[in-house]
Amino acid sequence: DAGVTQSPTHLIKTRGQHVTLRCSPISGHKSVSWYQQVLGQGPQFIFQYYEKEERGRGNFPDRFSARQFPNYSSELNVNALLLGDSALYLCASSLVGVSYEQYFGPGTRLTVT
Amino acid sequence: GENVEQHPSTLSVQEGDSAVIKCTYSDSASNYFPWYKQELGKGPQLIIDIRSNVGEKKDQRIAVTLNKTAKHFSLHITETQPEDSAVYFCAASFNQFYFGTGTSLTVIP
């Protein structure tokens, strides 16, 4: 079975630009969560979507937004990029909500210069 | 919000020895406690989890224990192998996942 897939693998952007990251969950999973992982730290929760609705939001500025599509895939958008946005962005899928097993994708490495 | 602390930050063991990683959490509402293994350049991989109505769970060489009263849970790896070398993260969840800061485990052949 295919696991969680994310694209692109790596991305280099300039300060002030916008970026869109994509995620496809495991087949049959209806919930997608996004995390930011800065080097040397644990993942930090950004958003959770379930059945195309936002079900949770972490402590991130409004520059971060996301959506989930009818096929349960998801996009994470970040506007007005800052140097501090450089991180590994992880997508995790689960059958239902956050108190269930979450399976992570390989991540997108974003570098902001 | 929830605060998860993880110790130690680094751990080196000889192949065949046991490794123990400990985590504490602050929110008594947390009811799900997974452990993840992350290898270099990869996403975290779920290795074992435990729910708040269970005190211990074992899967081959890996076990997790939970003490709800003390709000701490631990990962135990027995008969360690070089391929166990990785960064391990604990997490606590009620309505969102809160991760610890990670433990870099090195198994010396």
Side-chain angles (χ1 to χ4, degrees), chain A residues 35 37 40-45 48 55-59 88 90 98-107, chain B residues 31-32 34 36 38 41-46 49 51 57 87 89 93-102:
Chain A
Y35 293 82
Q37 186 177 26
Q41 297 185 18
Q44 265 199 295
F45 174 73
Q48 191 226 355
R55 297 301 180 103
R57 173 186 284 254
N59 188 23
L88 181 68
L90 295 162
V98 284
S99 288
Y100 290 82
E101 293 86 349
Q102 290 198 8
Y103 298 91
F104 283 84
Chain B
N31 59 3
Y32 176 61
Y36 287 86
Q38 188 172 26
K42 297 185 178 181
Q45 173 195 358
L46 178 66
D49 57 8
R51 297 194 182 277
K57 183 176 179 181
V87 179
F89 291 98
S93 171
F94 173 61
N95 58 0
Q96 64 175 256
F97 274 36
Y98 294 88
F99 283 84
T101 49

Side-chain angles (χ1 to χ4, degrees), chain A residues 58-77:
Chain A
N59 188 23
F60 279 81
D62 291 344
R63 299 185 296 106
F64 289 76
S65 64
R67 56 179 175 167
Q68 186 176 34
F69 300 99
N71 66 354
Y72 302 109
S73 67
S74 178
E75 281 183 356
L76 175 70
N77 295 283

Side-chain angles (χ1 to χ4, degrees), chain B residues 7-8 10 17 19 22 31 34 38 40 42-43 45 51 54 61 63-64 70 72 76 85 90 96 102 105-106 109:
Chain B
H7 299 281
T10 60
D17 286 350
K22 298 182 179 182
N31 59 3
Q38 188 172 26
L40 201 61
K42 297 185 178 181
Q45 173 195 358
R51 297 194 182 277
V54 176
R61 297 186 296 109
V64 58
H72 67 72
H76 303 252
S85 297
C90 63
Q96 64 175 256
L105 173 65
T106 301

Side-chain angles (χ1 to χ4, degrees), chain B residues 8-86:
Chain B
S9 57
T10 60
L11 180 60
S12 291
V13 299
Q14 290 292 135
E15 183 177 357
D17 286 350
S18 295
V20 180
I21 303 171
K22 298 182 179 182
C23 288
T24 61
Y25 63 100
S26 60
D27 190 348
S28 56
S30 290
N31 59 3
Y32 176 61
F33 306 90
W35 285 88
Y36 287 86
K37 174 184 181 182
Q38 188 172 26
E39 296 174 319
L40 201 61
K42 297 185 178 181
Q45 173 195 358
L46 178 66
I47 55 172
I48 197 168
D49 57 8
I50 193 168
R51 297 194 182 277
S52 58
N53 59 348
V54 176
E56 184 172 358
K57 183 176 179 181
K58 190 174 182 180
D59 182 4
Q60 299 182 345
R61 297 186 296 109
I62 295 174
V64 58
T65 58
L66 171 65
N67 183 326
K68 282 194 305 183
T69 304
K71 296 195 188 71
H72 67 72
F73 56 113
S74 300
L75 177 71
H76 303 252
I77 306 174
T78 59
E79 301 172 18
T80 54
Q81 302 167 1
E83 50 266 38
D84 294 329
S85 297

Side-chain angles (χ1 to χ4, degrees), chain A residues 29-47:
Chain A
H29 285 195
K30 298 182 178 181
S31 177
V32 169
S33 297
W34 287 96
Y35 293 82
Q36 181 194 67
Q37 186 177 26
V38 174
L39 198 62
Q41 297 185 18
Q44 265 199 295
F45 174 73
I46 309 176
F47 288 110

